[in-house]
Amino acid sequence: MTPERTPAARRSRRGRRRPFSVERRLTEHVDKLAEEHPPIPVDSADYSMVRPRLLAEQFGPVVTYMSRVELEVERNVLELNLLLPDPPAVDKHFYADVWLPQETHHGLLLDRLQSLAGLPQATPDLTHVSFDFRLLGQLGRWNAIQDVSRMLYYLTGVATEQSAILAYNKLHHGLLELGEKAVASTIIAPIRRQEPGHFAYYKIAAQGLWSEIAPWQKWLVRTLRRYTFEPVGAYTKKQWAQFGDVMHHLGITTGGEEELLRYAQQIGRFELELMWAHRQGLRVPTYVLDSLRSAARLAAAAAGPEMRRA
């Protein structure tokens, strides 16, 4: 075995354990995203609305929630800088130089839309980093633990982006049905075109890392994922209820249990196939479906009998 092929040589300071082919694919993917999908200029959109009050009534909770989540990527980057003290260079390039500006502009577009529709502006939390991130960041000074944190980051990214893709597709369709073609075509359509690229990054990265980590790390990832999964952007009980309200306004929970199960399957399909293939007959990770059910129940409780009858 030549020196350059030893495990120590392959596990460079940045990109430890990652096969070169995966590193190359990710680098090419990020470069392509940066070139083909620059941040959407906020002034490029047509904010004219036919019936702004009806838009706010039908989709106000969706736009409000999504604008906050998109704008909170600034805090998410702070969290990642703590969680991953020594990340692969391509990861940092992706989330700091490509993902952050793209998502921030998504939030700005949606925030201006909701303001013009008569809704309150977004109030994102841009600074608070939870103790859990700080603790994992300290533990992440051990390479093996940082690999676990990275795996959780990728899995969260996959689920988050899949949720976003589904939500933007439903929102785009709903706005067209309302006759709001300008908003649908110049705001929602450009945003949804950028989300699949983020999803693809996390998927490639997760597949590559999962093939490299040890069995005990896989066990730990499965365990932590089971207890830490949460709907995108939902960190408090109030936000869980708001996410349930988003599902209601997008028609996800109005179709009954089968529709909710279908939505959960779409969000959890990747990690089901990656991490739970050994569980024969499992249709969706139970923690994904349980979380969505909890969000729906909290939203119904907060809204009262009117929403429960809808």
Side-chain angles (χ1 to χ4, degrees):
M1 181 177 287
T2 58
E4 59 272 17
R5 292 185 178 272
T6 62
R10 287 199 305 268
R11 292 168 65 175
S12 59
R13 174 173 170 79
R14 295 191 181 275
R16 285 187 304 273
R17 303 178 64 92
R18 176 173 281 165
F20 176 71
S21 60
V22 175
E23 188 84 13
R24 181 174 58 196
R25 285 178 65 195
L26 290 173
T27 300
E28 292 173 353
H29 184 70
V30 175
D31 290 343
K32 186 176 181 180
L33 284 179
E35 180 181 353
E36 297 182 359
H37 296 281
I40 304 165
V42 177
D43 293 332
S44 68
D46 183 350
Y47 296 92
S48 59
M49 288 167 272
V50 180
R51 292 174 291 179
R53 288 186 180 179
L54 182 60
L55 186 155
E57 178 184 332
Q58 294 278 347
F59 297 111
V62 180
V63 176
T64 297
Y65 191 91
M66 294 171 76
S67 64
R68 174 184 65 80
V69 173
E70 298 279 22
L71 289 172
E72 285 184 342
V73 296
E74 184 175 327
R75 191 197 71 240
N76 297 152
V77 169
L78 294 178
E79 293 170 339
L80 287 170
N81 287 335
L82 285 172
L83 184 67
L84 307 175
D86 186 25
V90 67
D91 276 4
K92 191 158 190 175
H93 177 43
F94 168 70
Y95 68 70
D97 302 327
V98 178
W99 178 74
L100 172 63
Q102 286 179 351
E103 299 284 88
T104 298
H105 278 238
H106 296 175
L108 294 172
L109 286 159
L110 294 172
D111 195 34
R112 179 177 291 188
L113 171 63
Q114 68 179 358
S115 179
L116 293 173
L119 296 162
Q121 287 188 295
T123 55
D125 177 0
L126 303 180
T127 58
H128 176 71
V129 177
S130 72
F131 173 77
D132 292 345
F133 281 96
R134 299 182 187 277
L135 176 60
L136 281 174
Q138 290 298 316
L139 295 175
R141 299 183 186 279
W142 285 278
N143 296 342
I145 298 300
Q146 182 172 218
D147 285 345
V148 170
S149 296
R150 281 172 52 207
M151 195 69 227
L152 292 170
Y153 159 54
Y154 299 147
L155 291 171
T156 299
V158 167
T160 296
E161 297 302 339
Q162 184 61 53
S163 296
I165 291 167
L166 294 170
Y168 283 124
N169 284 340
K170 287 182 175 293
L171 180 57
H172 183 263
H173 179 73
L175 289 171
L176 289 178
E177 284 193 329
L178 285 184
E180 300 293 352
K181 295 182 180 180
V183 169
S185 62
T186 69
I187 299 176
I188 306 306
I191 290 175
R192 73 173 183 170
R193 278 196 293 270
Q194 293 190 338
E195 301 294 353
H198 305 160
F199 173 85
Y201 183 89
Y202 296 123
K203 183 177 179 180
I204 296 168
Q207 289 170 328
L209 183 57
W210 187 256
S211 69
E212 293 292 314
I213 59 177
W216 72 266
Q217 292 172 299
K218 292 180 179 179
W219 173 85
L220 185 55
V221 169
R222 288 190 183 102
T223 301
L224 291 174
R225 188 66 173 156
R226 189 183 296 121
Y227 290 105
T228 61
F229 180 89
E230 57 196 5
V232 53
Y235 312 110
T236 66
K237 186 175 180 180
K238 179 181 178 181
Q239 290 170 348
W240 276 63
Q242 290 171 344
F243 185 84
D245 201 22
V246 167
M247 291 194 295
H248 175 78
H249 282 266
L250 290 176
I252 294 167
T253 52
T254 55
E257 178 69 11
E258 275 302 310
E259 183 66 24
L260 188 64
L261 175 60
R262 192 176 302 112
Y263 180 60
Q265 287 174 320
Q266 290 174 296
I267 293 174
R269 180 179 296 120
F270 174 76
E271 56 192 272
L272 175 68
E273 295 171 352
L274 186 70
M275 300 197 302
W276 304 101
H278 61 291
R279 293 281 300 276
Q280 297 296 323
L282 190 66
R283 299 175 65 185
V284 62
T286 53
Y287 49 82
V288 175
L289 184 57
D290 289 345
S291 294
L292 298 181
R293 284 171 174 161
S294 294
R297 284 196 297 268
L298 288 168
E306 293 79 9
M307 180 172 168
R308 288 194 289 271
R309 287 196 300 266

